[in-house]
Amino acid sequence: MNKIIALVIAPGEFRDEEYIEPKTLFEQHGARTVTISTTLEPVTGMLGATVQATLLLKDAQADNFDAVVFVGGMGARRLYHEPEALRLARQAVAHNKVVGAICLAPNILAQAGVLKNRRATAWAFEVPAAEAVNQVGESVVRDGRIITANGPQAATPFAQAIAELLLAAPTPQ
């Protein structure tokens, strides 16, 4: 898989395995991953992993990636109303990229309006915009090129679903 995948993490309290398991699987498949956050300072996950982003959210452009994946955890709440996160989500969907969100991160997609009338799952939908989402109780849900998952136990199947979708067809231009 000769793909570039963006992993968007909150500036703290991201869910470690929702970052580490997909990153590991993507890289095992030959993809390059780029970690994006609102800071380039090291940030700590809920279970203690320390990660340093290499790209600021404000500088991220969906066209530079084959997929954009929003990592969950309690810190994802900091991105629900972050204009740059919402912009990136909208941009990725508009440019027909693969978009993923796990745990609480599907709220970012709901707030961005890209889950309206789509099937999706989450640990919990917490934003009013989620009322427009067809909420499904499955652990991993695919609707077109958007894949959502409901929590840490789904991290590996979530990553596998994204990898399978990326391998299924060439990157749209």
Side-chain angles (χ1 to χ4, degrees), residues 5-135:
I5 302 172
L7 294 166
V8 181
I9 60 171
E13 292 189 295
F14 63 90
R15 190 67 195 215
D16 304 43
E17 63 271 59
E18 294 172 3
Y19 170 80
I20 294 168
E21 290 176 28
K23 179 177 171 47
T24 300
L25 187 136
F26 299 150
E27 291 174 352
Q28 286 173 346
H29 280 85
R32 185 167 68 91
T33 60
V34 176
T35 302
I36 299 172
S37 190
T38 57
T39 180
L40 295 180
E41 297 296 319
V43 297
T44 304
M46 292 176 64
L47 303 178
T50 301
V51 174
Q52 188 163 3
T54 57
L55 182 64
L56 287 171
L57 190 54
K58 70 179 183 68
D59 297 327
Q61 298 297 320
D63 277 344
N64 294 329
F65 306 103
D66 297 290
V68 176
V69 178
F70 292 87
V71 176
M74 300 301 284
R77 290 178 171 144
R78 299 182 198 177
L79 300 179
Y80 289 0
H81 302 285
E82 168 58 50
E84 295 298 337
L86 303 179
R87 174 196 54 80
L88 184 60
R90 289 181 192 119
Q91 198 179 68
V93 171
H95 296 188
N96 204 31
K97 303 298 181 174
V98 172
V99 178
I102 185 170
C103 192
L104 290 174
N107 286 281
I108 300 163
L109 302 184
Q111 189 65 27
V114 301
L115 291 183
K116 186 174 183 179
N117 300 320
R118 290 185 181 259
R119 296 174 69 246
T121 191
W123 180 264
F125 280 105
E126 301 179 327
V127 296
E131 292 176 12
V133 178
N134 180 2
Q135 299 178 23

Side-chain angles (χ1 to χ4, degrees), residues 21-22 25 102 139-140 147 149 151-164:
E21 290 176 28
L25 187 136
I102 185 170
S139 61
V140 178
I147 298 173
Q153 79 291 346
T156 295
F158 169 69
Q160 290 169 332
I162 292 168
E164 288 169 10

